[in-house]
Amino acid sequence: MTAARTTAATGRAWVFGDDLNTDLLAPGAYMKFGIAEIARHCLESVDPRFAAEVRPGDIVFAGRNFGAGSSREQAAEVLRHLGVACVVARSFSGIYYRNGFNLGLPLLVCPEAATVAPGAPVACDLDRACVHDLSTHRVLACEPIPAHLVAMIRDGGLLPHLEKRLAAQRAANLPTP
């Protein structure tokens, strides 16, 4: 079971443009390998340094249509595997948005996502639906995330969230000795 995740994170900004599709995130040529190998090639055709230099807590910023393309869950899982704390974009493809939350990867929709400078220190706060650009002291407002999705993130994704709920239900139905 995945450990509970926080809903606030601080790291460096990795800034990309529009239409980062699932094949850029999890290249098809590596899909027959495990997630560690796929992650080594994440975004290599856009920024060859990304997979080697991204650190736990870093935050990815992008423009419109992040995660378009196939329904491959590995496109969200690679970012989580690399330690990306959150993805902030102007918009997400529908299936990527759902896959991200299902796998415990926080996603924030923010009209000003692409205005953050690459490498800037940033902090995201899911509970308050905002991003703090620590280099400029700006606060970027994001679309609020429904409480049930924030809870799912805290639990590490859909499966750990369901396991937690089922365990609570079982505990509530057990007779007391």
Side-chain angles (χ1 to χ4, degrees), residues 65-136:
N65 205 26
F66 188 92
S70 75
S71 61
R72 63 180 75 151
E73 291 179 345
Q74 294 89 339
E77 183 64 21
V78 292
L79 294 177
R80 190 166 172 234
H81 180 82
L82 291 169
V84 169
C86 185
V87 178
V88 182
R90 288 189 70 171
S91 66
F92 293 89
S93 79
I95 191 107
Y96 190 89
Y97 192 77
R98 192 67 206 172
N99 282 343
F101 284 102
N102 284 347
L103 294 170
L105 177 66
L107 306 173
L108 285 169
V109 175
C110 178
E112 297 180 274
T115 66
V116 175
V122 289
C124 72
D125 185 332
L126 298 182
D127 292 319
R128 291 181 180 85
C130 65
V131 175
H132 299 269
D133 183 336
L134 303 175
S135 64
T136 64

Side-chain angles (χ1 to χ4, degrees), residues 16-162:
F16 300 97
D18 295 338
D19 301 315
L20 265 100
N21 66 48
T22 55
D23 201 48
L24 297 171
L25 294 160
Y30 303 98
M31 295 305 290
K32 62 185 172 190
F33 301 107
I35 198 68
E37 182 64 19
I38 298 168
R40 288 187 47 222
H41 300 280
C42 180
L43 295 170
E44 70 184 358
S45 64
V46 179
D47 184 344
R49 306 171 304 117
F50 178 76
E53 295 181 18
V54 68
R55 298 290 172 254
D58 285 356
I59 299 168
V60 170
F61 289 82
R64 291 181 175 90
N65 205 26
F66 188 92
S70 75
S71 61
R72 63 180 75 151
E73 291 179 345
Q74 294 89 339
E77 183 64 21
V78 292
L79 294 177
R80 190 166 172 234
H81 180 82
L82 291 169
V84 169
C86 185
V87 178
V88 182
R90 288 189 70 171
S91 66
F92 293 89
S93 79
I95 191 107
Y96 190 89
Y97 192 77
R98 192 67 206 172
N99 282 343
F101 284 102
N102 284 347
L103 294 170
L105 177 66
L107 306 173
L108 285 169
V109 175
C110 178
E112 297 180 274
T115 66
V116 175
V122 289
C124 72
D125 185 332
L126 298 182
D127 292 319
R128 291 181 180 85
C130 65
V131 175
H132 299 269
D133 183 336
L134 303 175
S135 64
T136 64
H137 306 290
R138 289 185 311 148
V139 177
L140 309 176
C142 303
E143 291 181 11
I145 299 171
H148 71 282
L149 292 180
V150 173
M152 202 161 63
I153 293 278
R154 275 196 184 102
D155 292 340
L158 179 61
L159 291 179
H161 181 68
L162 292 175

